Amino acid sequence: MGKALRLLPLFVFFSAFLFPQTELDARTIAAMYGWDYVSVPERETVNFPALLEGIWTGDDRYVFFVPENTAEKAAVKPTDIALILKTYYGWFYDRAAEPEAFASQSERFLCTATTKEAERLTVTAEDLLNRPPRYDTNGNAVPYDSGAWELVVKYNGKKKYETRIPVAVIGNELYLDFVLRFDSSESPASSGSELTGYWQGVCKRESIRLAPYPRAPEIRSYYVSDDGMYVLRFWETTMPYTNDLASFDDTGKTFSVAKHIVSSASIFTCVTGRSNRIRNIVKMPLDFGDYKLDETGMICVFGKPYMMKVLGKDSAPGLMQIVAEANSRRKDPPPPLFPPSDLNWHWDLIALLEKDNTIVREVRLRQRVFAETKGEGGKIDALAASMYGTHLKLQENALKISDEARKKIKAVR
């Protein structure tokens, strides 16, 4: 009993870090360390962005954020997700997750790659930038061509099973690998390069998937100066969130950034304890690799887009058409094991050599009979041979037994 009690705190510690943070988890961890509980700041849930609505395609899946009716957009509510997996090397499209209404529109095909019932996913969005609205000279609102949000995906409508996926959209491209520009105070003057300043990271995810993600251990952010860039590591903490700044010095200059980052419903920090001095920095030459900035210069995405929007199709029938067309494809027959050969067998010479040859005639006759009878004659001969072999074996055993009997009689006499 005592051993079980000693192991209990260790189990509570690990269980708190295996699942997405809830208020109860945060209170438990704070109590373990003797800290006052401070809840993680919550972002406001916004109407689902129009830039995200529609069908998106990637290397291994389709994601369809189902558009809401115009009357429903007045209230913030969860949006349905349909997720199509390109299984079997892309030759079968599995309707892995979809709203219940889709089943009545088109029958869902079942095979070894599918489950009996599709998953039910819903999503809400939290804005990561909170940019002010824009207006033209006539006072009309001008929408942005880009944006960044944290998607809160719930599985089967249960809050217990949810995950948060930060996404950025630039035009018709969706990215999961990106950073956001944030103002930093007490920073030295810069030359005005498009990358100069503080770029705050997010909990990077690999895909929009069917299962919740584990908690992210750290976040990477960057501070770009005139002579290079600084890599800043933020790790998860249970310390209370504050709006304080943390700073570091280099070559007589002081750089300041936010001390805490809120991402994936967790708090991340770049300093230890209550300190405001950053010590774990790495300076290197400026190299963002393959990057792209949005029109406002607030979003920087890396590499190729994770998904591209499917233009012209933004409805359930359009998605069902994509699935039906893909699953109606058939692979071409495999190539022959041996390539065709232009070898000349000289059948005329072979026929001349076989002419008036009695042995060849007998062979050809047996081949023709075998083909016409489908080998029945050979089967009969094989059966007769096996029966004859069995008869010989029985006869041999009988003779062996009689011989042994004669030897016993002689021995008795």
Side-chain angles (χ1 to χ4, degrees):
M1 182 66 179
K3 183 177 181 181
L5 289 176
R6 289 195 298 271
L7 293 177
L8 181 59
L10 183 62
F11 170 76
V12 173
F13 176 81
F14 279 105
S15 65
F17 280 89
L18 288 176
F19 302 100
Q21 180 171 324
T22 63
E23 184 174 344
L24 179 60
D25 295 331
R27 289 183 182 276
T28 302
I29 298 173
M32 289 171 54
Y33 288 93
W35 298 329
D36 295 332
Y37 167 73
V38 177
S39 62
V40 177
E42 296 183 359
R43 295 189 184 91
E44 180 183 2
T45 301
V46 298
N47 287 320
F48 200 76
L51 283 176
L52 282 172
E53 291 180 346
I55 302 174
W56 299 84
T57 180
D59 293 336
D60 60 350
R61 67 197 61 206
Y62 280 88
V63 175
F64 178 33
F65 298 105
V66 182
E68 299 177 0
N69 296 328
T70 305
E72 296 176 342
K73 288 189 176 182
V76 177
K77 57 178 295 184
T79 297
D80 291 320
I81 300 180
L83 197 151
I84 309 297
L85 298 179
K86 302 177 183 179
T87 57
Y88 296 129
Y89 304 98
W91 279 96
F92 176 71
Y93 284 7
D94 172 22
R95 291 160 56 180
E98 63 185 17
E100 294 183 12
F102 281 25
S104 60
Q105 298 180 18
S106 177
E107 183 180 0
R108 183 170 172 266
F109 183 80
L110 297 180
C111 67
T112 55
T114 63
T115 57
K116 185 176 181 180
E117 295 184 359
E119 295 286 337
R120 310 297 182 204
L121 307 183
T122 59
V123 60
T124 54
E126 298 175 0
D127 198 348
L128 294 178
L129 290 177
N130 296 320
R131 294 174 295 188
R134 298 188 304 180
Y135 301 94
D136 58 15
T137 55
N138 298 324
N140 299 320
V142 179
Y144 288 97
D145 190 38
S146 61
W149 303 270
E150 188 168 84
L151 302 182
V152 184
V153 182
K154 295 184 179 181
Y155 302 88
N156 286 334
K158 299 179 181 179
K159 181 175 176 59
K160 181 180 179 182
Y161 301 102
E162 72 174 33
T163 194
R164 291 172 173 264
I165 305 175
V167 299
V169 173
I170 299 179
N172 295 318
E173 302 173 346
L174 187 147
Y175 296 85
L176 299 180
D177 188 6
F178 64 96
V179 290
L180 305 174
R181 186 195 296 274
F182 280 86
D183 294 332
S184 58
S185 60
E186 301 179 11
S187 58
S190 64
S191 60
S193 170
E194 65 175 5
L195 292 176
T196 301
Y198 174 51
W199 295 93
Q200 183 171 291
V202 295
C203 287
K204 180 184 173 183
R205 303 304 191 184
E206 300 300 325
S207 65
I208 300 175
R209 67 182 195 179
L210 285 170
Y213 275 99
R215 301 177 71 171
E218 64 180 32
I219 293 175
R220 293 299 174 99
S221 298
Y222 307 93
Y223 199 111
V224 178
S225 65
D226 295 337
D227 57 349
M229 71 176 185
Y230 303 88
V231 182
L232 307 175
R233 187 175 73 92
F234 287 74
W235 59 91
E236 191 176 15
T237 182
T238 53
M239 291 289 288
Y241 175 83
T242 66
N243 292 321
D244 297 341
L245 297 176
S247 60
F248 62 93
D249 298 329
D250 184 56
T251 61
K253 301 177 183 178
T254 300
F255 304 87
S256 298
V257 299
K259 180 178 178 179
H260 293 132
I261 294 177
V262 177
S263 186
S264 189
S266 297
I267 300 175
F268 295 81
T269 185
C270 58
V271 296
T272 57
R274 300 183 182 277
S275 173
N276 290 328
R277 299 296 297 174
I278 304 176
R279 303 184 184 279
N280 56 328
I281 60 171
V282 177
K283 185 178 181 181
M284 60 180 61
L286 176 59
D287 183 13
F288 264 26
D290 183 13
Y291 74 92
K292 178 181 179 180
L293 297 178
D294 74 324
E295 58 178 348
T296 64
M298 301 293 293
I299 305 174
C300 180
V301 297
F302 301 107
K304 296 181 179 179
Y306 170 63
M307 284 187 164
M308 300 290 295
K309 178 168 284 190
V310 180
L311 302 178
K313 294 184 178 181
D314 57 354
S315 62
L319 183 64
M320 296 301 103
Q321 181 185 0
I322 292 174
V323 174
E325 291 177 354
N327 290 343
S328 64
R329 296 173 299 171
R330 294 294 180 267
K331 285 189 176 181
D332 296 330
L337 296 177
F338 303 100
S341 176
D342 58 353
L343 179 64
N344 187 356
W345 291 95
H346 299 286
W347 291 107
D348 54 341
L349 298 179
I350 293 175
L352 183 62
L353 292 173
E354 294 181 356
K355 185 178 181 181
D356 299 329
N357 190 321
T358 57
I359 297 177
V360 173
R361 286 181 178 180
E362 293 176 358
V363 173
R364 294 285 183 256
L365 179 61
R366 289 198 301 269
Q367 291 175 342
R368 185 165 57 254
V369 172
F370 182 85
E372 292 174 352
T373 60
K374 298 181 180 179
E376 294 296 333
K379 293 179 182 178
I380 295 174
D381 293 341
L383 179 61
S386 64
M387 294 175 62
Y388 181 71
T390 303
H391 172 73
L392 291 179
K393 187 175 182 180
L394 293 174
Q395 185 179 15
E396 183 182 351
N397 291 338
L399 293 174
K400 184 178 180 181
I401 293 173
S402 62
D403 186 55
E404 292 178 353
R406 284 194 300 269
K407 289 181 180 179
K408 289 182 180 180
I409 294 172
K410 289 182 179 180
V412 173
R413 291 178 179 176

